Amino acid sequence: MSVKIRIPSQLRNLTGGEGMVETDAGTVGRIIMELENLHPGIAERLLDGGEVRRFINIYVDGDDIRFDKGLDTSVADGSEISIVPAVAGG
Amino acid sequence: MATTAEQLKCKECGRSYPLAALFVCDFCFGPLEVAYDYGKIRRRATKDRIALGPPSLWRYADFLPVENKPSVDLQAGFTPLIKADRLAAKLGLKKVWVKNDTANPTHSFKDRVVSVALQRALELGFEVVACASTGNLANSVAAHAAASGTEAFVFVPANLEIQKIIATAVYGVNVVKVRGNYDDVNRLCTEIASEKKWAFVNVNVRPYYAEGSKTLAYETAEQLGWRAPDKVVVPVASGSLLTKIHKGFWELGEVGLIRRKAPVVYGAQAEGCGPVAAAFKEGLEHVKPCKPDTIAKSLAIGNPADGVFALEVARATGGVIESVTEQEIVDGIKLLAETTGIFTETAGGVTTAVLAKLAAAGRIYRDEEVVLFITGDGLKTLDAVAGTLETFEIDPNFSQFEEEVLENVVKST
Ligand SMILES: Cc1ncc(COP(=O)(O)O)c(C=O)c1O
Ligand SMILES: [Zn+2]
């Protein structure tokens, strides 16, 4: 078992075109660090000064991590993380 | 016609991009916005040329990011600007106008943004249009898709008002009711947009879509005799409409069609979904998302994409983003109906209630000119007022009429 991460099209140049990446369970913050090991450069695109960039939303099983513990939100085996640009809708 | 638009530009870091189906900066994820050659617009868009244009938003085509006007179109826009003296008097003001955007083909301002988005989507070669909607956008995308013969997928929250679902499905498009709130629908659509070659009007072609709202400012200025009002009151969901109305007035100053003077911009939200109003009140630079719970479903976006920019506009112009209670929304709908003859949906109830609140708080001086943007039609949200209105019912009998009606009617006898 592991965690599935849906990668938005804007970041797929860093994942070799992959729209889905798998990592071990952990907190969202740790998972981003693991992503960075797998696909160098991705953390800089997601984080700014240790915080999620203001125009990025991250969801764990559909729930916005800002309603939980942000980067400290824990992600269990079998969960799905979505990284979604925030500038849509209306 | 050749567009006056030059490129897409990141609002956050300034990187530029071609005029393609892009909405996010690849580097910082900031929103992309259309940038124009204002010298070109200034030379082309004279008052005379605009006056000779069609009675629709396409009279301002020189300010829009499209190569051509559409060949088939519902002719949205150029809606009435009504002097609302009875409303003004009730609020202790003198100069209030209502921009009545219920008078659009599908009865909301969304016909403006969809007209532009669909035309640009077709120019970019898309064959399917789609949207994530709180209702009005769904109606509009469906109608415009039907008119142009384009396939459409429309995604809405499953608990939407039945009127808005019927007024979408009737156009023969694919309606997908998603079991979740608008923010869930929006996330799903953003993910689908990464996989499918569809034009989601408010996702991957959002920079073009958003420009359509500028036409509300152009029309208001033209209808006032080419000038801006002192103040405007605008409903806020994603915050796009508010920021684009502001941009529209700014552009008219930039190209010399009006004197450079941006109106004070007030934003209106419901307390049950007021993340931008809350950020304004707390003096924050970012907007904390919320879980919406309000009858103003068309404004129920808990995670607004342009919230920070709406905050910036309100602060820069000396405005406020204010919120109102559910009761004030219902009272706002009735106040507007009873004093102007315009029946608005809940979003307009929010907007009218915010104007009333600002006036009561003394934030608007008696002599100032205020334009109230009424962006959607009351027939779409009948339930909001249904239980609060009284009618008479009698047999076809004259004495019953006298006893049960006339004796109970206090004023008009
Ligand atoms: C009637 C009505 N007014 C105003 C708005 C707010 O628009 P925006 O999302 O651009 O802030 C909406 C959005 O759905 C709407 O339906
Ligand atoms: Zn950028």
Side-chain angles (χ1 to χ4, degrees), chain B residues 9-15 17 24-32:
Chain B
K9 229 177 159 137
C10 175
K11 270 183 107 159
E12 188 79 344
C13 75
R15 279 180 173 72
Y17 295 85
V24 174
C25 174
D26 272 344
F27 182 75
C28 76
F29 277 72
L32 303 184

PDB file of all heavy atoms in Angstrom, chain B residues 9-15 17 24-32, ligand 2:
ATOM      1  N   LYS B   9      -0.342  37.287 -19.097  1.00  0.00           N
ATOM      2  CA  LYS B   9       0.696  37.674 -18.158  1.00  0.00           C
ATOM      3  C   LYS B   9       0.361  37.176 -16.762  1.00  0.00           C
ATOM      4  O   LYS B   9      -0.789  37.270 -16.340  1.00  0.00           O
ATOM      5  CB  LYS B   9       0.766  39.206 -18.132  1.00  0.00           C
ATOM      6  CG  LYS B   9       2.167  39.719 -18.272  1.00  0.00           C
ATOM      7  CD  LYS B   9       2.228  41.203 -18.312  1.00  0.00           C
ATOM      8  CE  LYS B   9       3.647  41.511 -17.911  1.00  0.00           C
ATOM      9  NZ  LYS B   9       4.356  42.438 -18.567  1.00  0.00           N
ATOM     10  N   CYS B  10       1.339  36.634 -16.041  1.00  0.00           N
ATOM     11  CA  CYS B  10       1.096  36.166 -14.674  1.00  0.00           C
ATOM     12  C   CYS B  10       0.898  37.368 -13.753  1.00  0.00           C
ATOM     13  O   CYS B  10       1.738  38.263 -13.698  1.00  0.00           O
ATOM     14  CB  CYS B  10       2.264  35.320 -14.170  1.00  0.00           C
ATOM     15  SG  CYS B  10       2.077  34.844 -12.442  1.00  0.00           S
ATOM     16  N   LYS B  11      -0.224  37.380 -13.027  1.00  0.00           N
ATOM     17  CA  LYS B  11      -0.512  38.494 -12.126  1.00  0.00           C
ATOM     18  C   LYS B  11       0.417  38.494 -10.924  1.00  0.00           C
ATOM     19  O   LYS B  11       0.544  39.485 -10.231  1.00  0.00           O
ATOM     20  CB  LYS B  11      -1.957  38.371 -11.601  1.00  0.00           C
ATOM     21  CG  LYS B  11      -2.978  39.067 -12.476  1.00  0.00           C
ATOM     22  CD  LYS B  11      -4.373  38.977 -11.877  1.00  0.00           C
ATOM     23  CE  LYS B  11      -4.842  40.307 -11.300  1.00  0.00           C
ATOM     24  NZ  LYS B  11      -6.309  40.375 -11.165  1.00  0.00           N
ATOM     25  N   GLU B  12       1.044  37.359 -10.666  1.00  0.00           N
ATOM     26  CA  GLU B  12       1.865  37.214  -9.476  1.00  0.00           C
ATOM     27  C   GLU B  12       3.346  37.551  -9.761  1.00  0.00           C
ATOM     28  O   GLU B  12       3.950  38.336  -9.062  1.00  0.00           O
ATOM     29  CB  GLU B  12       1.732  35.767  -8.970  1.00  0.00           C
ATOM     30  CG  GLU B  12       2.354  35.488  -7.639  1.00  0.00           C
ATOM     31  CD  GLU B  12       1.506  35.955  -6.461  1.00  0.00           C
ATOM     32  OE1 GLU B  12       0.586  36.756  -6.656  1.00  0.00           O
ATOM     33  OE2 GLU B  12       1.804  35.527  -5.336  1.00  0.00           O
ATOM     34  N   CYS B  13       3.927  36.938 -10.828  1.00  0.00           N
ATOM     35  CA  CYS B  13       5.369  37.106 -11.046  1.00  0.00           C
ATOM     36  C   CYS B  13       5.691  37.793 -12.377  1.00  0.00           C
ATOM     37  O   CYS B  13       6.856  38.046 -12.674  1.00  0.00           O
ATOM     38  CB  CYS B  13       6.088  35.759 -10.974  1.00  0.00           C
ATOM     39  SG  CYS B  13       5.855  34.715 -12.415  1.00  0.00           S
ATOM     40  N   GLY B  14       4.652  38.101 -13.179  1.00  0.00           N
ATOM     41  CA  GLY B  14       4.865  38.890 -14.389  1.00  0.00           C
ATOM     42  C   GLY B  14       5.358  38.128 -15.607  1.00  0.00           C
ATOM     43  O   GLY B  14       5.517  38.722 -16.680  1.00  0.00           O
ATOM     44  N   ARG B  15       5.603  36.797 -15.497  1.00  0.00           N
ATOM     45  CA  ARG B  15       6.037  36.047 -16.683  1.00  0.00           C
ATOM     46  C   ARG B  15       4.965  36.109 -17.765  1.00  0.00           C
ATOM     47  O   ARG B  15       3.781  36.119 -17.466  1.00  0.00           O
ATOM     48  CB  ARG B  15       6.290  34.578 -16.331  1.00  0.00           C
ATOM     49  CG  ARG B  15       7.649  34.333 -15.681  1.00  0.00           C
ATOM     50  CD  ARG B  15       7.811  32.852 -15.360  1.00  0.00           C
ATOM     51  NE  ARG B  15       9.151  32.534 -14.878  1.00  0.00           N
ATOM     52  CZ  ARG B  15       9.623  32.869 -13.691  1.00  0.00           C
ATOM     53  NH1 ARG B  15       8.875  33.563 -12.848  1.00  0.00           N
ATOM     54  NH2 ARG B  15      10.854  32.551 -13.335  1.00  0.00           N
ATOM     55  N   TYR B  17       3.076  34.708 -21.460  1.00  0.00           N
ATOM     56  CA  TYR B  17       2.692  33.476 -22.160  1.00  0.00           C
ATOM     57  C   TYR B  17       1.903  33.862 -23.414  1.00  0.00           C
ATOM     58  O   TYR B  17       1.323  34.945 -23.475  1.00  0.00           O
ATOM     59  CB  TYR B  17       1.806  32.608 -21.249  1.00  0.00           C
ATOM     60  CG  TYR B  17       2.527  32.096 -20.016  1.00  0.00           C
ATOM     61  CD1 TYR B  17       2.609  32.878 -18.856  1.00  0.00           C
ATOM     62  CD2 TYR B  17       3.149  30.855 -20.013  1.00  0.00           C
ATOM     63  CE1 TYR B  17       3.291  32.419 -17.734  1.00  0.00           C
ATOM     64  CE2 TYR B  17       3.828  30.384 -18.892  1.00  0.00           C
ATOM     65  CZ  TYR B  17       3.892  31.175 -17.757  1.00  0.00           C
ATOM     66  OH  TYR B  17       4.571  30.718 -16.648  1.00  0.00           O
ATOM     67  N   VAL B  24      -2.772  29.167 -15.741  1.00  0.00           N
ATOM     68  CA  VAL B  24      -1.904  29.183 -14.568  1.00  0.00           C
ATOM     69  C   VAL B  24      -0.468  29.407 -15.009  1.00  0.00           C
ATOM     70  O   VAL B  24      -0.023  28.832 -15.996  1.00  0.00           O
ATOM     71  CB  VAL B  24      -1.970  27.814 -13.852  1.00  0.00           C
ATOM     72  CG1 VAL B  24      -0.978  27.755 -12.721  1.00  0.00           C
ATOM     73  CG2 VAL B  24      -3.358  27.545 -13.340  1.00  0.00           C
ATOM     74  N   CYS B  25       0.257  30.209 -14.257  1.00  0.00           N
ATOM     75  CA  CYS B  25       1.673  30.389 -14.522  1.00  0.00           C
ATOM     76  C   CYS B  25       2.401  29.084 -14.223  1.00  0.00           C
ATOM     77  O   CYS B  25       2.265  28.532 -13.124  1.00  0.00           O
ATOM     78  CB  CYS B  25       2.206  31.502 -13.626  1.00  0.00           C
ATOM     79  SG  CYS B  25       3.984  31.728 -13.734  1.00  0.00           S
ATOM     80  N   ASP B  26       3.154  28.583 -15.184  1.00  0.00           N
ATOM     81  CA  ASP B  26       3.877  27.333 -14.997  1.00  0.00           C
ATOM     82  C   ASP B  26       4.859  27.413 -13.845  1.00  0.00           C
ATOM     83  O   ASP B  26       5.193  26.419 -13.223  1.00  0.00           O
ATOM     84  CB  ASP B  26       4.692  27.010 -16.262  1.00  0.00           C
ATOM     85  CG  ASP B  26       3.861  26.228 -17.247  1.00  0.00           C
ATOM     86  OD1 ASP B  26       2.812  25.700 -16.841  1.00  0.00           O
ATOM     87  OD2 ASP B  26       4.264  26.165 -18.415  1.00  0.00           O
ATOM     88  N   PHE B  27       5.336  28.602 -13.584  1.00  0.00           N
ATOM     89  CA  PHE B  27       6.351  28.725 -12.540  1.00  0.00           C
ATOM     90  C   PHE B  27       5.759  28.848 -11.144  1.00  0.00           C
ATOM     91  O   PHE B  27       6.059  28.063 -10.265  1.00  0.00           O
ATOM     92  CB  PHE B  27       7.280  29.901 -12.825  1.00  0.00           C
ATOM     93  CG  PHE B  27       8.351  29.990 -11.780  1.00  0.00           C
ATOM     94  CD1 PHE B  27       9.414  29.097 -11.791  1.00  0.00           C
ATOM     95  CD2 PHE B  27       8.269  30.915 -10.752  1.00  0.00           C
ATOM     96  CE1 PHE B  27      10.380  29.130 -10.797  1.00  0.00           C
ATOM     97  CE2 PHE B  27       9.227  30.954  -9.762  1.00  0.00           C
ATOM     98  CZ  PHE B  27      10.288  30.063  -9.783  1.00  0.00           C
ATOM     99  N   CYS B  28       4.858  29.834 -10.937  1.00  0.00           N
ATOM    100  CA  CYS B  28       4.421  30.119  -9.563  1.00  0.00           C
ATOM    101  C   CYS B  28       2.956  29.791  -9.312  1.00  0.00           C
ATOM    102  O   CYS B  28       2.457  30.035  -8.223  1.00  0.00           O
ATOM    103  CB  CYS B  28       4.686  31.579  -9.224  1.00  0.00           C
ATOM    104  SG  CYS B  28       3.512  32.716  -9.960  1.00  0.00           S
ATOM    105  N   PHE B  29       2.267  29.260 -10.344  1.00  0.00           N
ATOM    106  CA  PHE B  29       0.854  28.901 -10.217  1.00  0.00           C
ATOM    107  C   PHE B  29      -0.053  30.121 -10.082  1.00  0.00           C
ATOM    108  O   PHE B  29      -1.235  29.995  -9.787  1.00  0.00           O
ATOM    109  CB  PHE B  29       0.602  27.929  -9.051  1.00  0.00           C
ATOM    110  CG  PHE B  29       0.863  26.495  -9.407  1.00  0.00           C
ATOM    111  CD1 PHE B  29       2.157  26.048  -9.588  1.00  0.00           C
ATOM    112  CD2 PHE B  29      -0.170  25.602  -9.590  1.00  0.00           C
ATOM    113  CE1 PHE B  29       2.409  24.730  -9.927  1.00  0.00           C
ATOM    114  CE2 PHE B  29       0.077  24.284  -9.935  1.00  0.00           C
ATOM    115  CZ  PHE B  29       1.373  23.844 -10.102  1.00  0.00           C
ATOM    116  N   GLY B  30       0.479  31.312 -10.281  1.00  0.00           N
ATOM    117  CA  GLY B  30      -0.350  32.516 -10.241  1.00  0.00           C
ATOM    118  C   GLY B  30      -1.301  32.533 -11.430  1.00  0.00           C
ATOM    119  O   GLY B  30      -1.088  31.841 -12.418  1.00  0.00           O
ATOM    120  N   PRO B  31      -2.388  33.333 -11.335  1.00  0.00           N
ATOM    121  CA  PRO B  31      -3.346  33.399 -12.429  1.00  0.00           C
ATOM    122  C   PRO B  31      -2.812  34.215 -13.604  1.00  0.00           C
ATOM    123  O   PRO B  31      -2.115  35.217 -13.406  1.00  0.00           O
ATOM    124  CB  PRO B  31      -4.547  34.107 -11.800  1.00  0.00           C
ATOM    125  CG  PRO B  31      -3.989  34.899 -10.676  1.00  0.00           C
ATOM    126  CD  PRO B  31      -2.781  34.160 -10.175  1.00  0.00           C
ATOM    127  N   LEU B  32      -3.140  33.800 -14.808  1.00  0.00           N
ATOM    128  CA  LEU B  32      -2.753  34.553 -15.997  1.00  0.00           C
ATOM    129  C   LEU B  32      -3.882  35.515 -16.369  1.00  0.00           C
ATOM    130  O   LEU B  32      -5.052  35.193 -16.224  1.00  0.00           O
ATOM    131  CB  LEU B  32      -2.471  33.602 -17.162  1.00  0.00           C
ATOM    132  CG  LEU B  32      -1.404  32.533 -16.899  1.00  0.00           C
ATOM    133  CD1 LEU B  32      -1.143  31.725 -18.168  1.00  0.00           C
ATOM    134  CD2 LEU B  32      -0.115  33.174 -16.394  1.00  0.00           C
TER     135      LEU B  32
HETATM  136 ZN    ZN C   2       3.962  33.507 -12.162  1.00  0.00          ZN
END
